[in-house]
Structures are given as C-alpha cells and as structure tokens.
Amino acid sequence: MRIDTNILGAVRMPDAGTDGPPATARRYGREDYVAAYHDFVELAKVADEVGFDTFWYTEHHFQYEGYEVIPNQILLGLYSAALTSRINFGQMFNIVPQWNPLRLAEDFAAADILTGGRMRFGVGRGTVPREMQTLGAFIESGDNDMDPGAEQANREHFAEAMEVIRKAFRQDRFCHRGKHFRYPPEDIPDRGGVVEDLVLVPNVTREIEIYQACTSPKTLEYVAEHGHIGVYTRQSPARLEKAWTKHAELTAEYGRLTEIGDEQMLVLHVNVAPTHEEAVALARPGHDELVKLLSPYGRFATYDPPEGLDATPFDFAPTLEESMRQRVYVVGDFDTVAEQIAEYRDRLNLQRLSVAMDALGLTPEQQQDQLRMFAEEVAPRLGIAMSAEGQVAAAA
C-alpha cells in the first residue's frame, strides 16, 4: 500500500471551529498568504524526510476567506521538488475547465521533465462559480443551484478538454476538431503554408497516470471508461466497497479486467496522537470548521444516512463523533488509527492511500508532528517502513 499526504492549503487559522467567525466572514491579507506558502513548503520537506510517496496540493482561486489559497499546483510542486530529494508532487486537482487544456498539458510536461518524473497529474471538473466563471469557464458549477443543462455543459467541456490533453501527451503530432475546441484553428498561415497539426513542446517522456475526483455515478463511469485512477473521499468503508466494486465492474465492461483497489485511491482525514483524547482535541476544530464551510454545498451528502432517515440530507453537517463512527475521519491513538486504516486496506484491497493531516486550526509545527507521528508510529503498525529513502514493506 502506497501512502501519500495531501493538504487543503489554508492560511494559519487559530480560531478554527464552531466558535470562530462564519466561513463567509473570514478575511485575510497578503502577509497571511505569504506565511502560508512558507508553511506549505516546510510541510513538504517534512513529508519528504519521513517517507511519504507523494505530496498533493489543491487548486483554488480568489479565496480571501483563507481556506484554499493555491492557484497553481504545478508551479508550487515544481518549486517544492527543487527543495526536496525524492518525494513526488501531485495536483488534487487541476480544475480543467478553468485552464486552456494545451497550456495545462505544456505546464505539466515541463514540470515533469524538470523534476525527473516526480509529478502526478490530477484533474477535476470544478465547483466554485467565483473562480470558474471569472477564469473563463462560463459554466455553472456545484456550489450554486445547477440546472441539468448547465451540468451537462460542464461535463462536455471537461471531457473534450481531457480528450485534447490525452492526445497531446500521447501523439507526437495531433489535431482536434470538437464542439468546444479546435486545435489548431483553421487556416493559420505559417511559413508559406497553413498549420495542419500541432506538437506539444516540451512533452512528457512517460505514460502519465491520470487521477480524477470520483464524486458521482456519471463520473465513476467516465473514470472507468478512460482508465483514470478514481479518487474517493468522505464515504464509509461499506459505501466505498459498493462504489469500488461497481468501478471494477465498469472497467470490465470497457475491456479491462481489474480488481477493486487496482484503479482507486482513498483520501482519509487522519489525526493521531499518543492518546485518544489528544487526537480528538487536535481534530475537532478543523473538522468543525470544514463542516461549517462545506456542508451548505453538499460535501457531506456522501455520508451514510443518519439514524432514522432513508437518505442523507444534501446539507448534512456531521459532528466529529459521527465522522469518526463512519470512519470518514480516522482519529485516535497509534493503534486505533492503524487498526482503522487496516480495515480499509483489507476490505478494499487498498493500494493507494492519501492521509489529510493538515487540519484547520493546527499550527505549522503540529501539522509537521502529525506527519512524523504517522510515519514513525502508524505506518510500521501497518507493515510499512517509511524513511527518507521512501517506503518499503517492513519485516514481519
């Protein structure tokens, strides 16, 4: 089992939690973002030193509220790679409709070359109208009420952009004629002729795995069709087992026989400490702040229904205890965290795990300590030895 880590990418937030200001009332300034970027890079250095395989950043724009302040994961990953020795850097996720697809492909290829193949490519459709429409996507998205036509337009735009990116990566010369994109445009004069095809310069020198957020049945089918690695989060083990089984069934329909776990990745919120009580105290402010921010947008509707209900409400706002009960948050002492992760590993044939440990409200030092404790105390209990050289299976 490969173990990565990912971060939300927030500013320091000592008042995170139920008693802090409303999510929409938070305001931060330039120096807060500067400090956050130093924190991100220092955390990446620790992740490299203690043996995580990949450090995943997150893309968002214009977030003056301070929650997610990294607009370009490729750029930050490239810089972070120069300051570390072996860890990979991934994008969780590049919001494809906000990019020109060829610029995205070029930037990733350049970064992958310069880092010696230490970049991982992740993609998503996007959710935040503030950034999507400002950056030219002009597509409705999931943070506001969405009509079926807008949802379909989002999917079409994303799918065609991904078709362009795959062509650019895989073909030495390519052209594309679609509904949303025409590359190259017709009749461009060039050196006595016209441009008939394009070459991505520079281009990747290896087959690129594509990781995609898997958040709905339609997305699951798309991911299975194209052989992307589906990234799942905020679901109980039982719910994930059903989704991953369906995922494997769909890959077979598209001509690839896989077992559950072969083309899936799990993102888990994890907080660990020497005692259960310490771990809960570390987890609660960040959990409650995230619920306060995201529950109005349906981000916890993936939970199992509360007792007495047939379906989970769209705006479900779980307590930390409920998140722990459903194993969406894995919180506790070293043995407890290892046991609960082992349940996922054994039930799902888990091969790729990313632990999100940068809980809102933690200091930079606490975040670094979380990574160290996981690597030094939890991973060995899972049979994995982590070190500055990477990860190996520990001796029985």
Side-chain angles (χ1 to χ4, degrees):
M1 180 173 68
R2 189 186 91 201
I3 301 178
D4 304 344
T5 189
N6 61 283
I7 67 170
L8 188 68
V11 302
R12 300 176 190 179
M13 199 172 289
D15 58 351
T18 304
D19 296 332
T24 54
R26 290 189 177 278
R27 294 292 186 276
Y28 293 92
R30 300 184 186 194
E31 293 307 314
D32 298 298
Y33 309 138
V34 170
Y37 272 69
H38 289 298
D39 295 342
F40 303 153
V41 173
E42 291 304 310
L43 192 62
K45 290 179 183 178
V46 172
D48 183 51
E49 292 164 7
V50 301
F52 285 91
D53 181 273
T54 302
F55 194 97
W56 297 84
Y57 289 120
T58 305
E59 178 188 348
H60 281 289
H61 302 260
F62 317 123
Q63 294 225 355
Y64 55 77
E65 301 95 339
Y67 293 107
E68 298 158 307
V69 299
I70 300 170
N72 191 317
Q73 306 159 90
I74 295 172
L75 181 63
L76 183 55
L78 176 63
Y79 178 77
S80 301
L83 301 179
T84 53
S85 62
R86 46 129 221 112
I87 195 170
N88 301 297
F89 288 91
Q91 304 99 49
M92 195 180 281
F93 300 90
N94 293 305
I95 307 305
V96 174
Q98 296 171 181
W99 287 75
N100 176 299
L102 292 180
R103 292 300 301 269
L104 178 57
E106 286 176 340
D107 285 2
F108 179 86
D112 198 57
I113 291 167
L114 291 171
T115 61
R118 290 168 57 193
M119 304 297 283
R120 296 196 187 274
F121 191 56
V123 297
R125 292 195 299 120
T127 63
V128 185
R130 178 196 302 173
E131 59 188 53
M132 292 191 72
Q133 296 185 36
T134 300
L135 292 172
F138 300 111
I139 298 171
E140 296 288 342
S141 52
D143 277 4
N144 290 347
D145 289 337
M146 238 177 133
D147 64 59
E151 167 73 4
Q152 184 58 31
N154 181 294
R155 290 185 181 278
E156 285 182 2
H157 189 283
F158 170 85
E160 190 176 332
M162 288 306 304
E163 183 182 351
V164 170
I165 290 169
R166 286 191 296 266
K167 282 182 180 179
F169 280 163
R170 295 171 181 172
Q171 299 177 14
D172 289 335
R173 299 162 68 114
F174 68 93
C175 64
H176 178 84
R177 295 288 180 265
K179 178 178 178 180
H180 301 284
F181 301 104
R182 300 183 71 81
Y183 296 130
E186 288 86 348
D187 301 324
I188 298 177
D190 184 51
R191 298 179 177 92
V194 294
V195 180
E196 296 181 353
D197 52 33
L198 297 171
V199 177
L200 196 70
V201 179
N203 206 345
V204 296
T205 58
R206 62 190 178 97
E207 184 70 20
I208 301 299
E209 272 189 335
I210 299 175
Y211 293 73
Q212 183 174 347
C214 217
T215 55
S216 70
K218 287 185 178 181
T219 301
L220 191 159
E221 184 158 357
Y222 174 86
V223 166
E225 177 184 2
H226 292 283
H228 296 179
I229 305 299
V231 182
Y232 294 77
T233 192
R234 299 196 186 110
Q235 298 182 52
S236 68
R239 195 160 180 165
L240 277 170
E241 187 173 20
K242 290 180 181 178
W244 288 26
T245 299
K246 179 64 175 177
H247 193 150
E249 291 171 354
L250 286 169
T251 63
E253 291 179 15
Y254 286 108
R256 298 188 328 281
L257 295 178
T258 67
E259 302 290 337
I260 68 168
D262 288 351
E263 294 189 356
Q264 293 88 25
M265 178 177 178
L266 175 63
V267 174
L268 272 182
H269 294 274
V270 176
N271 286 105
V272 65
T275 69
H276 176 82
E277 292 74 18
E278 290 174 286
V280 169
L282 287 169
R284 191 176 301 281
H287 173 277
D288 292 352
E289 185 69 31
L290 209 58
V291 168
K292 186 167 62 177
L293 169 68
L294 297 178
S295 61
Y297 307 125
R299 298 299 188 271
F300 300 94
T302 53
Y303 277 47
D304 293 344
E307 188 175 352
L309 295 181
D310 295 330
T312 306
F314 178 79
D315 60 350
F316 183 52
T319 62
L320 176 59
E321 286 68 26
E322 179 63 17
S323 293
M324 292 168 61
R325 186 186 71 79
Q326 294 201 28
R327 300 287 195 263
V328 174
Y329 271 66
V330 173
V331 178
D333 58 44
F334 307 138
D335 288 329
T336 297
V337 169
E339 288 167 4
Q340 293 184 11
I341 291 175
E343 177 189 358
Y344 277 105
R345 179 194 60 196
D346 299 341
R347 189 166 186 171
L348 301 175
N349 183 33
L350 183 58
Q351 298 174 33
R352 302 172 189 86
L353 170 67
S354 185
V355 291
M357 308 188 77
D358 68 324
L360 294 164
L362 297 187
T363 66
E365 293 74 24
Q366 287 174 315
Q367 293 177 18
Q368 294 172 21
D369 286 344
Q370 287 289 288
L371 296 186
R372 291 191 176 98
M373 282 190 285
F374 189 97
E376 295 168 4
E377 300 290 349
V378 177
R381 287 168 165 84
L382 294 166
I384 298 170
M386 294 172 62
S387 70
E389 288 72 43
Q391 298 174 25
V392 297

